[in-house]
């Protein structure tokens, strides 16, 4: 299966499971079932694990997974820049990149929200693939955290990671070192909490 199809499917699967979720899941499964490969298998495995789950229950699981733990954040610049002025600069660069390629995401979401980056990379691969590759440390940190949490969403992030060129960090510690090479010491991510998600009423201590 081509990289853009995998990334678009992952974007849909990593979105908040609202009232449209059953139809979204059905659409993704139909698009994937005619293809083969390890990335497709991971995405289909996720679909199978959540299929039949009540949307309200899945929404509660989504909030617990992504909105209440700083280690499982879907906002990728948080992993490298934390809650700092440097992160504001990174977000502005992302917005400028989107505009440069004529792409305007929803205004009610930050531009580093992973489903947005995945959709951009699927639609504009010449710019989106290098963008995702540059965020590989954050993606790998998220994947390791989801694995530790035993979340089915690990399969989706793993499928994304397998689309990216170049070597992968062999451990969470290696990914964390890579994430920390960019910002100076006082702006290293994973220390303060990320911005409050619109899906969660409050945040709890990370697990």
């Amino acid at each position: 299966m081509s990289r853009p199809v995998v990334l678009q499917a992952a974007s849909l699967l990593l979105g908040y499971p609202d009232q449209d979720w059953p139809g979204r899941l059905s659409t993704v499964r139909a698009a994937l079932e005619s293809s083969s490969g390890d990335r497709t298998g991971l995405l289909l495995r996720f679909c199978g694990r959540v299929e039949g789950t009540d949307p309200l229950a899945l929404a509660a699981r989504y909030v617990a997974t992504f909105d209440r733990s700083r280690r499982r954040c879907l906002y990728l610049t948080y992993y490298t820049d934390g809650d700092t002025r440097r992160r504001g600069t990174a977000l502005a660069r992302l917005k400028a990149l989107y505009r440069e390629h004529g792409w305007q995401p929803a205004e009610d979401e930050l531009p580093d929200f992973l489903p947005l980056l995945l959709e951009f990379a699927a639609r504009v691969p010449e710019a989106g693939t290098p963008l995702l590759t540059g965020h590989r440390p954050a993606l790998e940190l998220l994947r390791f955290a989801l694995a530790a949490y035993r979340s089915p969403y690990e399969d989706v992030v793993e499928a994304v990671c397998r689309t990216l060129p170049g070597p992968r960090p062999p451990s969470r510690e290696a990914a964390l070192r890579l994430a920390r090479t960019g910002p100076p010491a006082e702006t290293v991510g994973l220390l303060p909490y990320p911005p409050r998600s619109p899906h969660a009423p409050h945040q709890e201590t990370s697990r």
Side-chain angles (χ1 to χ4, degrees):
M1 173 170 285
S2 69
R3 179 185 290 125
V5 174
V6 171
L7 298 181
Q8 184 64 67
S11 173
L12 293 170
L13 296 176
L14 286 171
Y16 181 74
D18 55 17
Q19 66 271 17
D20 297 326
W21 171 255
R24 197 191 324 162
L25 183 64
S26 177
T27 297
V28 170
R29 289 202 69 155
L32 296 175
E33 286 176 343
S34 61
S35 302
S36 61
D38 58 340
R39 299 174 298 190
T40 301
L42 287 165
L43 295 175
L44 286 173
R45 184 167 69 178
F46 169 82
C47 293
R49 293 174 72 181
V50 301
E51 188 175 30
T53 303
D54 179 79
L56 288 177
L58 187 61
R61 185 189 301 181
Y62 184 97
V63 168
T65 301
F66 296 117
D67 296 345
R68 295 182 179 172
S69 171
R70 58 191 178 186
R71 293 184 183 275
R72 298 186 300 274
C73 177
L74 287 174
Y75 297 91
L76 296 191
T77 64
Y78 178 72
Y79 291 90
T80 52
D81 300 312
D83 191 13
T84 65
R85 286 177 295 178
R86 180 186 176 96
R87 184 170 180 229
T89 301
L91 294 175
R93 284 199 300 265
L94 277 173
K95 287 184 178 181
L97 180 66
Y98 293 158
R99 287 195 301 268
E100 178 184 344
H101 290 276
W103 195 69
Q104 182 64 47
E107 292 291 337
D108 60 351
E109 192 56 86
L110 291 174
D112 64 339
F113 186 49
L114 178 55
L116 290 184
L117 267 73
L118 292 173
E119 184 176 358
F120 177 71
R123 295 187 180 194
V124 192
E126 67 275 14
T129 299
L131 177 63
L132 283 178
T133 303
H135 285 286
R136 179 189 285 279
L139 288 166
E140 298 288 1
L141 284 170
L142 175 59
R143 181 180 64 84
F144 283 120
L146 291 171
Y149 193 60
R150 299 183 183 276
S151 170
Y153 285 100
E154 178 201 358
D155 285 339
V156 183
V157 178
E158 171 66 20
V160 171
C161 289
R162 292 189 186 187
T163 70
L164 302 180
R168 298 177 62 178
S171 66
R172 180 184 180 277
E173 290 70 26
L176 187 58
R177 285 194 298 271
L178 285 174
R180 285 176 167 169
T181 56
E186 68 271 15
T187 64
V188 170
L190 299 178
L191 296 179
Y193 284 97
R196 181 176 297 180
S197 164
H199 309 308
H202 66 279
Q203 292 186 323
E204 300 173 353
T205 304
S206 65
R207 292 181 58 181

